[in-house]
Amino acid sequence: MAARLLGHLIRRSRQSRSLVARTGSSRGTVSTYSTVSTLSTVSMKRMEHLAVSGSGVSLAERVFNAPLPSFNGNRSSGNNHCNKDNNNKDTNDAFELAIKQLNSLQSNDAAIRNSMSNARVDTKADTIKYLERSGLPLETVERLSFIHVAGTKGKGSTCALTESLLRHQGVRTGFFSSPHILSTNERIRIDGQLLAKDKFTEQFWKVYNRLWDRREHDHDMPAYFKFLTILGFHVFVAENVDVVVLEVGIGGEHDCTNIVRNVRTVGITSLGLEHTELLGRTLPEIAWQKAGIIKSGSHVFTHVTQPVCLDVIRQRTQEQSATLYEVPPTEDYFRSDAYAPIWQTFSHLIRLNGSLAIQLASDWLTQSGRQRHTPNEVRMDPQLLGGLISAHWPGRCQLIEWHGMRLHLDGAHTLESMAVCTDWFAKSVRDSVHPKILIFNRTGESGFEPLLQLLNRTCAFDMVCFVPNLATSTPNAPSQVMVRFSPEMQLQRARTIATAWSDLCATEQQKDVGQVFNTLTDAFTAIWQRFPPATDSDAQLEVLVTGSIHLLGAAISALDLIDDSTSRTKI
């Protein structure tokens, strides 16, 4: 559908030679036929690629494949490196050894709780201390340019869209995000590509050894996320990127990423109650933390709507002599005759966060002298459109057909993101007569009950699986190890969630079809035993995996392990 509509735009461009949607602005960008033609061609290739099911690749490759090439001459897919790495045993072994050592820096749950009550800990000061001890002065880091994004829901996808938009303008990009789904090097990307495992390993040991040699006492090493933040800065400096799109880890004010002082473009996405044990129990408290990334004189863009949150953001903006812009709805960019038909083809990712990403990218391009753009100007052209539709952010409202299943993958873990997820899933299966299966887990503190209520109202599930974030009883890769929570703690958490689901079913006078499984492998085995693969090639199981990014990784890993084991059995 999208390819046909883009073909329609090409025909229009042949008549007008430019495609610009102007709303409330007299300025636009003229795009030639060649740009639109390229966009249509790669979009058609993307559609053809997505139509292929199976085709001999792993599920991980299907999830992480970035199907569209970039327009600035760089290679298109991070999996060019990823696939090459996967075929090189020495590279993989060295990478996994580095990740195993990295995991030694990750505190367990008890240590994290203790540190939360320690008022003497200054996260930003500690990050700067270890950064400079690793051989990288903060002043050197600040020679880079940054776009910094905080928020509760959509900050990762906003960053992914922003990075793609900039890359389509010929900008060399760095991207730092968290958490990862399958492999730790997902967190650091160059020009949209996952950092190659050999580069990750090289930079890891350079930083780790320097910090280890310069310890002042036995425990004088940065914790897991702090170390990865420092590692990311080393990579971005070494790669000499034009801009770093920097996603906040938790909160903002005290986050490790919040050490850079030269940020001129700031984004704040939708806000909700999350990490309340760290950020506060009320929305204004959380808004204060998120707005802590606002720097002096910066341009701040947001699509936050709650008045109590906006009041806090405005106050913090004024304190920093910054300027706040509430961005227009994304649909406003698609009201012209040329672009209106495309709106219906967009994912939730673009609909919810497209406008914020456009404003962030355009503001940075303007402040860096690469283009002229008025803040909150609404315009659209084929190059912007290309940046939007080629953005690839795995595990967020992602649908993949895999061996008789329609896998709906979404790492939603807040009430706001789960509302988006359940709406997407309900629409996807609305006309389906096939069994509907939920696989759910949520890591962290309490707060899963409202998520269960949303899921319960989504549809009548035929089977509900509560399971720890474990592919198998023995982790198959260090990147999949959750040091903070032991397998026993995770299993007890799954049982607690299952009990809450049973209570909810009893209250709603519904049949309880929930079960607890020790691993994702156990869960998928039970699913196939309950619903054996049909001979009808059109028969599909509608499977929703949600509640945790880590759960998605375990599910993908389990299915690939099962697939690999089955393939070996057949040989």
Side-chain angles (χ1 to χ4, degrees), residues 261-287:
R261 301 160 295 187
N262 62 325
V263 180
R264 295 185 293 172
T265 302
V266 172
I268 301 177
T269 68
S270 301
L271 299 182
L273 295 175
E274 65 156 354
H275 301 295
T276 52
E277 71 277 14
L278 289 171
L279 305 181
R281 302 286 177 179
T282 68
L283 283 175
E285 288 176 317
I286 288 176

PDB file of all heavy atoms in Angstrom, residues 261-287:
ATOM      1  N   ARG A 261      27.057  19.397  28.876  1.00  0.00           N
ATOM      2  CA  ARG A 261      26.474  20.701  29.176  1.00  0.00           C
ATOM      3  C   ARG A 261      26.166  21.523  27.933  1.00  0.00           C
ATOM      4  O   ARG A 261      25.598  22.603  28.028  1.00  0.00           O
ATOM      5  CB  ARG A 261      27.452  21.497  30.058  1.00  0.00           C
ATOM      6  CG  ARG A 261      27.787  20.821  31.374  1.00  0.00           C
ATOM      7  CD  ARG A 261      29.070  21.333  31.981  1.00  0.00           C
ATOM      8  NE  ARG A 261      30.230  21.020  31.150  1.00  0.00           N
ATOM      9  CZ  ARG A 261      31.487  21.234  31.517  1.00  0.00           C
ATOM     10  NH1 ARG A 261      31.743  21.753  32.709  1.00  0.00           N
ATOM     11  NH2 ARG A 261      32.486  20.942  30.694  1.00  0.00           N
ATOM     12  N   ASN A 262      26.550  20.999  26.767  1.00  0.00           N
ATOM     13  CA  ASN A 262      26.446  21.793  25.542  1.00  0.00           C
ATOM     14  C   ASN A 262      25.252  21.400  24.680  1.00  0.00           C
ATOM     15  O   ASN A 262      25.246  21.615  23.482  1.00  0.00           O
ATOM     16  CB  ASN A 262      27.726  21.643  24.715  1.00  0.00           C
ATOM     17  CG  ASN A 262      27.961  20.201  24.284  1.00  0.00           C
ATOM     18  OD1 ASN A 262      27.649  19.273  25.019  1.00  0.00           O
ATOM     19  ND2 ASN A 262      28.519  20.003  23.098  1.00  0.00           N
ATOM     20  N   VAL A 263      24.229  20.816  25.285  1.00  0.00           N
ATOM     21  CA  VAL A 263      23.061  20.369  24.531  1.00  0.00           C
ATOM     22  C   VAL A 263      22.190  21.566  24.165  1.00  0.00           C
ATOM     23  O   VAL A 263      21.763  22.321  25.043  1.00  0.00           O
ATOM     24  CB  VAL A 263      22.234  19.346  25.337  1.00  0.00           C
ATOM     25  CG1 VAL A 263      21.018  18.899  24.533  1.00  0.00           C
ATOM     26  CG2 VAL A 263      23.093  18.155  25.707  1.00  0.00           C
ATOM     27  N   ARG A 264      21.911  21.721  22.883  1.00  0.00           N
ATOM     28  CA  ARG A 264      21.083  22.840  22.431  1.00  0.00           C
ATOM     29  C   ARG A 264      19.696  22.398  21.976  1.00  0.00           C
ATOM     30  O   ARG A 264      18.806  23.232  21.805  1.00  0.00           O
ATOM     31  CB  ARG A 264      21.795  23.582  21.293  1.00  0.00           C
ATOM     32  CG  ARG A 264      23.100  24.252  21.732  1.00  0.00           C
ATOM     33  CD  ARG A 264      23.714  25.069  20.624  1.00  0.00           C
ATOM     34  NE  ARG A 264      24.169  24.228  19.519  1.00  0.00           N
ATOM     35  CZ  ARG A 264      24.601  24.680  18.345  1.00  0.00           C
ATOM     36  NH1 ARG A 264      24.623  25.977  18.119  1.00  0.00           N
ATOM     37  NH2 ARG A 264      25.018  23.846  17.411  1.00  0.00           N
ATOM     38  N   THR A 265      19.513  21.081  21.747  1.00  0.00           N
ATOM     39  CA  THR A 265      18.218  20.560  21.318  1.00  0.00           C
ATOM     40  C   THR A 265      17.798  19.445  22.268  1.00  0.00           C
ATOM     41  O   THR A 265      18.505  18.446  22.414  1.00  0.00           O
ATOM     42  CB  THR A 265      18.292  20.015  19.879  1.00  0.00           C
ATOM     43  OG1 THR A 265      18.727  21.055  18.997  1.00  0.00           O
ATOM     44  CG2 THR A 265      16.933  19.516  19.426  1.00  0.00           C
ATOM     45  N   VAL A 266      16.648  19.625  22.911  1.00  0.00           N
ATOM     46  CA  VAL A 266      16.177  18.715  23.958  1.00  0.00           C
ATOM     47  C   VAL A 266      14.768  18.237  23.613  1.00  0.00           C
ATOM     48  O   VAL A 266      13.932  19.028  23.141  1.00  0.00           O
ATOM     49  CB  VAL A 266      16.160  19.425  25.330  1.00  0.00           C
ATOM     50  CG1 VAL A 266      15.490  18.568  26.390  1.00  0.00           C
ATOM     51  CG2 VAL A 266      17.577  19.794  25.740  1.00  0.00           C
ATOM     52  N   GLY A 267      14.500  16.961  23.858  1.00  0.00           N
ATOM     53  CA  GLY A 267      13.158  16.417  23.666  1.00  0.00           C
ATOM     54  C   GLY A 267      12.635  15.777  24.935  1.00  0.00           C
ATOM     55  O   GLY A 267      13.391  15.105  25.652  1.00  0.00           O
ATOM     56  N   ILE A 268      11.358  15.990  25.225  1.00  0.00           N
ATOM     57  CA  ILE A 268      10.702  15.327  26.355  1.00  0.00           C
ATOM     58  C   ILE A 268       9.434  14.675  25.826  1.00  0.00           C
ATOM     59  O   ILE A 268       8.522  15.351  25.343  1.00  0.00           O
ATOM     60  CB  ILE A 268      10.362  16.312  27.493  1.00  0.00           C
ATOM     61  CG1 ILE A 268      11.633  16.987  28.001  1.00  0.00           C
ATOM     62  CG2 ILE A 268       9.654  15.583  28.641  1.00  0.00           C
ATOM     63  CD1 ILE A 268      11.402  18.026  29.087  1.00  0.00           C
ATOM     64  N   THR A 269       9.402  13.345  25.900  1.00  0.00           N
ATOM     65  CA  THR A 269       8.266  12.593  25.377  1.00  0.00           C
ATOM     66  C   THR A 269       7.184  12.452  26.447  1.00  0.00           C
ATOM     67  O   THR A 269       7.287  13.024  27.535  1.00  0.00           O
ATOM     68  CB  THR A 269       8.725  11.203  24.895  1.00  0.00           C
ATOM     69  OG1 THR A 269       9.128  10.419  26.042  1.00  0.00           O
ATOM     70  CG2 THR A 269       9.899  11.315  23.930  1.00  0.00           C
ATOM     71  N   SER A 270       6.155  11.686  26.130  1.00  0.00           N
ATOM     72  CA  SER A 270       5.020  11.513  27.044  1.00  0.00           C
ATOM     73  C   SER A 270       5.480  11.057  28.422  1.00  0.00           C
ATOM     74  O   SER A 270       6.436  10.288  28.552  1.00  0.00           O
ATOM     75  CB  SER A 270       4.052  10.480  26.466  1.00  0.00           C
ATOM     76  OG  SER A 270       3.587  10.883  25.201  1.00  0.00           O
ATOM     77  N   LEU A 271       4.773  11.528  29.446  1.00  0.00           N
ATOM     78  CA  LEU A 271       5.141  11.229  30.824  1.00  0.00           C
ATOM     79  C   LEU A 271       4.069  10.403  31.515  1.00  0.00           C
ATOM     80  O   LEU A 271       2.876  10.531  31.241  1.00  0.00           O
ATOM     81  CB  LEU A 271       5.372  12.517  31.609  1.00  0.00           C
ATOM     82  CG  LEU A 271       6.498  13.430  31.107  1.00  0.00           C
ATOM     83  CD1 LEU A 271       6.637  14.631  32.026  1.00  0.00           C
ATOM     84  CD2 LEU A 271       7.818  12.676  31.011  1.00  0.00           C
ATOM     85  N   GLY A 272       4.520   9.547  32.410  1.00  0.00           N
ATOM     86  CA  GLY A 272       3.621   8.731  33.214  1.00  0.00           C
ATOM     87  C   GLY A 272       4.368   8.250  34.443  1.00  0.00           C
ATOM     88  O   GLY A 272       5.557   8.546  34.636  1.00  0.00           O
ATOM     89  N   LEU A 273       3.687   7.495  35.288  1.00  0.00           N
ATOM     90  CA  LEU A 273       4.300   6.990  36.512  1.00  0.00           C
ATOM     91  C   LEU A 273       5.179   5.789  36.181  1.00  0.00           C
ATOM     92  O   LEU A 273       4.696   4.774  35.681  1.00  0.00           O
ATOM     93  CB  LEU A 273       3.221   6.594  37.523  1.00  0.00           C
ATOM     94  CG  LEU A 273       2.346   7.743  38.044  1.00  0.00           C
ATOM     95  CD1 LEU A 273       1.243   7.198  38.939  1.00  0.00           C
ATOM     96  CD2 LEU A 273       3.191   8.774  38.793  1.00  0.00           C
ATOM     97  N   GLU A 274       6.471   5.914  36.429  1.00  0.00           N
ATOM     98  CA  GLU A 274       7.419   4.803  36.239  1.00  0.00           C
ATOM     99  C   GLU A 274       8.588   5.001  37.192  1.00  0.00           C
ATOM    100  O   GLU A 274       8.896   6.124  37.606  1.00  0.00           O
ATOM    101  CB  GLU A 274       7.932   4.772  34.794  1.00  0.00           C
ATOM    102  CG  GLU A 274       8.750   5.999  34.421  1.00  0.00           C
ATOM    103  CD  GLU A 274       9.711   5.764  33.275  1.00  0.00           C
ATOM    104  OE1 GLU A 274       9.850   4.616  32.818  1.00  0.00           O
ATOM    105  OE2 GLU A 274      10.334   6.746  32.837  1.00  0.00           O
ATOM    106  N   HIS A 275       9.231   3.891  37.549  1.00  0.00           N
ATOM    107  CA  HIS A 275      10.385   3.946  38.450  1.00  0.00           C
ATOM    108  C   HIS A 275      10.098   4.880  39.632  1.00  0.00           C
ATOM    109  O   HIS A 275      10.935   5.715  40.014  1.00  0.00           O
ATOM    110  CB  HIS A 275      11.638   4.416  37.705  1.00  0.00           C
ATOM    111  CG  HIS A 275      12.026   3.542  36.558  1.00  0.00           C
ATOM    112  ND1 HIS A 275      12.428   2.235  36.715  1.00  0.00           N
ATOM    113  CD2 HIS A 275      12.055   3.786  35.229  1.00  0.00           C
ATOM    114  CE1 HIS A 275      12.703   1.709  35.527  1.00  0.00           C
ATOM    115  NE2 HIS A 275      12.477   2.622  34.619  1.00  0.00           N
ATOM    116  N   THR A 276       8.908   4.725  40.205  1.00  0.00           N
ATOM    117  CA  THR A 276       8.486   5.660  41.249  1.00  0.00           C
ATOM    118  C   THR A 276       9.373   5.581  42.488  1.00  0.00           C
ATOM    119  O   THR A 276       9.474   6.558  43.244  1.00  0.00           O
ATOM    120  CB  THR A 276       7.020   5.386  41.653  1.00  0.00           C
ATOM    121  OG1 THR A 276       6.873   3.990  41.965  1.00  0.00           O
ATOM    122  CG2 THR A 276       6.076   5.738  40.510  1.00  0.00           C
ATOM    123  N   GLU A 277      10.026   4.430  42.699  1.00  0.00           N
ATOM    124  CA  GLU A 277      10.928   4.311  43.844  1.00  0.00           C
ATOM    125  C   GLU A 277      12.158   5.196  43.683  1.00  0.00           C
ATOM    126  O   GLU A 277      12.845   5.506  44.658  1.00  0.00           O
ATOM    127  CB  GLU A 277      11.342   2.845  44.048  1.00  0.00           C
ATOM    128  CG  GLU A 277      12.293   2.278  43.007  1.00  0.00           C
ATOM    129  CD  GLU A 277      11.594   1.775  41.734  1.00  0.00           C
ATOM    130  OE1 GLU A 277      10.405   2.103  41.543  1.00  0.00           O
ATOM    131  OE2 GLU A 277      12.239   1.073  40.954  1.00  0.00           O
ATOM    132  N   LEU A 278      12.435   5.603  42.424  1.00  0.00           N
ATOM    133  CA  LEU A 278      13.588   6.454  42.141  1.00  0.00           C
ATOM    134  C   LEU A 278      13.204   7.882  41.804  1.00  0.00           C
ATOM    135  O   LEU A 278      13.905   8.822  42.179  1.00  0.00           O
ATOM    136  CB  LEU A 278      14.386   5.877  40.962  1.00  0.00           C
ATOM    137  CG  LEU A 278      15.171   4.597  41.186  1.00  0.00           C
ATOM    138  CD1 LEU A 278      15.706   4.083  39.861  1.00  0.00           C
ATOM    139  CD2 LEU A 278      16.317   4.828  42.157  1.00  0.00           C
ATOM    140  N   LEU A 279      12.092   8.058  41.076  1.00  0.00           N
ATOM    141  CA  LEU A 279      11.782   9.356  40.478  1.00  0.00           C
ATOM    142  C   LEU A 279      10.695  10.133  41.210  1.00  0.00           C
ATOM    143  O   LEU A 279      10.506  11.317  40.930  1.00  0.00           O
ATOM    144  CB  LEU A 279      11.358   9.164  39.011  1.00  0.00           C
ATOM    145  CG  LEU A 279      12.352   8.399  38.127  1.00  0.00           C
ATOM    146  CD1 LEU A 279      11.812   8.295  36.702  1.00  0.00           C
ATOM    147  CD2 LEU A 279      13.710   9.084  38.134  1.00  0.00           C
ATOM    148  N   GLY A 280       9.978   9.490  42.105  1.00  0.00           N
ATOM    149  CA  GLY A 280       8.888  10.188  42.793  1.00  0.00           C
ATOM    150  C   GLY A 280       7.556   9.519  42.548  1.00  0.00           C
ATOM    151  O   GLY A 280       7.372   8.780  41.571  1.00  0.00           O
ATOM    152  N   ARG A 281       6.623   9.783  43.415  1.00  0.00           N
ATOM    153  CA  ARG A 281       5.329   9.096  43.369  1.00  0.00           C
ATOM    154  C   ARG A 281       4.258   9.872  42.617  1.00  0.00           C
ATOM    155  O   ARG A 281       3.150   9.380  42.441  1.00  0.00           O
ATOM    156  CB  ARG A 281       4.838   8.835  44.801  1.00  0.00           C
ATOM    157  CG  ARG A 281       5.794   8.011  45.640  1.00  0.00           C
ATOM    158  CD  ARG A 281       5.782   6.555  45.245  1.00  0.00           C
ATOM    159  NE  ARG A 281       6.752   5.761  46.012  1.00  0.00           N
ATOM    160  CZ  ARG A 281       6.911   4.449  45.867  1.00  0.00           C
ATOM    161  NH1 ARG A 281       6.171   3.793  44.999  1.00  0.00           N
ATOM    162  NH2 ARG A 281       7.822   3.803  46.572  1.00  0.00           N
ATOM    163  N   THR A 282       4.569  11.092  42.176  1.00  0.00           N
ATOM    164  CA  THR A 282       3.563  11.905  41.499  1.00  0.00           C
ATOM    165  C   THR A 282       4.075  12.338  40.129  1.00  0.00           C
ATOM    166  O   THR A 282       5.298  12.374  39.881  1.00  0.00           O
ATOM    167  CB  THR A 282       3.223  13.167  42.318  1.00  0.00           C
ATOM    168  OG1 THR A 282       4.365  14.038  42.338  1.00  0.00           O
ATOM    169  CG2 THR A 282       2.823  12.787  43.744  1.00  0.00           C
ATOM    170  N   LEU A 283       3.157  12.709  39.252  1.00  0.00           N
ATOM    171  CA  LEU A 283       3.543  13.169  37.924  1.00  0.00           C
ATOM    172  C   LEU A 283       4.408  14.432  37.963  1.00  0.00           C
ATOM    173  O   LEU A 283       5.399  14.528  37.228  1.00  0.00           O
ATOM    174  CB  LEU A 283       2.301  13.391  37.063  1.00  0.00           C
ATOM    175  CG  LEU A 283       1.632  12.140  36.498  1.00  0.00           C
ATOM    176  CD1 LEU A 283       0.341  12.497  35.767  1.00  0.00           C
ATOM    177  CD2 LEU A 283       2.578  11.386  35.549  1.00  0.00           C
ATOM    178  N   PRO A 284       4.094  15.428  38.795  1.00  0.00           N
ATOM    179  CA  PRO A 284       4.981  16.599  38.855  1.00  0.00           C
ATOM    180  C   PRO A 284       6.400  16.251  39.282  1.00  0.00           C
ATOM    181  O   PRO A 284       7.363  16.827  38.765  1.00  0.00           O
ATOM    182  CB  PRO A 284       4.289  17.506  39.889  1.00  0.00           C
ATOM    183  CG  PRO A 284       2.841  17.141  39.787  1.00  0.00           C
ATOM    184  CD  PRO A 284       2.836  15.660  39.564  1.00  0.00           C
ATOM    185  N   GLU A 285       6.540  15.318  40.220  1.00  0.00           N
ATOM    186  CA  GLU A 285       7.882  14.904  40.636  1.00  0.00           C
ATOM    187  C   GLU A 285       8.635  14.255  39.483  1.00  0.00           C
ATOM    188  O   GLU A 285       9.828  14.520  39.260  1.00  0.00           O
ATOM    189  CB  GLU A 285       7.786  13.931  41.814  1.00  0.00           C
ATOM    190  CG  GLU A 285       7.369  14.572  43.126  1.00  0.00           C
ATOM    191  CD  GLU A 285       7.203  13.555  44.234  1.00  0.00           C
ATOM    192  OE1 GLU A 285       6.613  12.475  43.990  1.00  0.00           O
ATOM    193  OE2 GLU A 285       7.677  13.815  45.354  1.00  0.00           O
ATOM    194  N   ILE A 286       7.938  13.405  38.741  1.00  0.00           N
ATOM    195  CA  ILE A 286       8.571  12.737  37.603  1.00  0.00           C
ATOM    196  C   ILE A 286       8.899  13.751  36.507  1.00  0.00           C
ATOM    197  O   ILE A 286       9.972  13.706  35.891  1.00  0.00           O
ATOM    198  CB  ILE A 286       7.667  11.603  37.077  1.00  0.00           C
ATOM    199  CG1 ILE A 286       7.695  10.445  38.086  1.00  0.00           C
ATOM    200  CG2 ILE A 286       8.078  11.145  35.685  1.00  0.00           C
ATOM    201  CD1 ILE A 286       6.784   9.302  37.769  1.00  0.00           C
ATOM    202  N   ALA A 287       7.992  14.696  36.264  1.00  0.00           N
ATOM    203  CA  ALA A 287       8.250  15.726  35.254  1.00  0.00           C
ATOM    204  C   ALA A 287       9.489  16.545  35.629  1.00  0.00           C
ATOM    205  O   ALA A 287      10.287  16.911  34.759  1.00  0.00           O
ATOM    206  CB  ALA A 287       7.037  16.647  35.120  1.00  0.00           C
TER     207      ALA A 287
END
